[in-house]
Amino acid sequence: LRARELGVSFVPLDGDIAVIASGAGLGMATLDMLKRNGLAPATFLDTGGGISEVMVKGALELVMEPLQVRGAIINLYGGINSMLAAAQGIKAALKNLGGNRPIVVKVLGNQQEEAWAMLDSEPNVHLIRVVQTEAAVARLAELMR
């Protein structure tokens, strides 16, 4: 119900890594790469096409809620979507989440530099500034060891 209210697609899974992606294809590729790196997805959340601060805040709070979640990967691409709005949502959610679970964030596209600047000093946020999802997954795998 919460996912529907946010306008996102959400699937709970059995693992311990939360996944947020912008687009089903990017999300499925992220899931596959997690598995190849010995990590098990706990959630799959697709933001679809309309990223906003409110959506991303709610999405991150939703995927981090299950007790088994030990970390997360956020993999967003913004053609027309603002990555700054996504970063604002991530930052707002972090205020409510607490704890020290690592969150690897790869945001690329519209307003990416502003998003990076906003998230750069956030504790437990590990920014990936390259196109390859493999780099983001590899960083998360390092953090989860």
Side-chain angles (χ1 to χ4, degrees):
L1 181 59
R2 285 173 51 200
R4 188 175 316 142
E5 290 170 358
L6 289 170
V8 300
S9 298
F10 175 75
V11 178
L13 302 166
D14 293 332
D16 58 2
I17 303 297
V19 177
I20 296 175
S22 58
L26 186 58
M28 295 301 289
T30 304
L31 294 179
D32 289 345
M33 287 179 212
L34 287 171
K35 288 285 213 179
R36 274 191 243 131
N37 279 271
L39 300 172
T43 62
F44 172 77
L45 188 144
D46 174 10
T47 63
I51 293 173
S52 70
E53 177 181 347
V54 170
M55 173 200 281
V56 173
K57 176 184 181 290
L60 185 53
E61 290 171 350
L62 178 62
V63 300
M64 295 299 280
E65 191 173 284
L67 296 177
Q68 81 269 17
V69 172
R70 297 186 313 122
I73 184 166
I74 300 173
N75 194 0
L76 304 177
Y77 175 75
I80 60 170
N81 286 302
S82 167
M83 294 299 96
L84 180 57
Q88 290 165 336
I90 293 166
K91 189 170 178 132
L94 291 172
K95 292 177 185 173
N96 298 333
L97 292 176
N100 61 354
R101 296 175 289 179
I103 301 172
V104 171
V105 177
K106 183 180 83 100
V107 292
L108 294 171
N110 186 8
Q111 296 182 302
Q112 68 186 21
E113 289 85 6
E114 295 91 338
W116 295 341
M118 176 174 284
L119 295 173
D120 210 19
S121 62
E122 287 295 324
N124 304 321
V125 171
H126 305 269
L127 284 171
I128 305 298
R129 294 177 171 98
V130 296
V131 172
Q132 294 82 8
T133 296
E134 292 90 343
V137 172
R139 178 67 176 133
L140 184 58
E142 288 172 16
L143 293 166
M144 299 310 296
R145 289 187 186 122

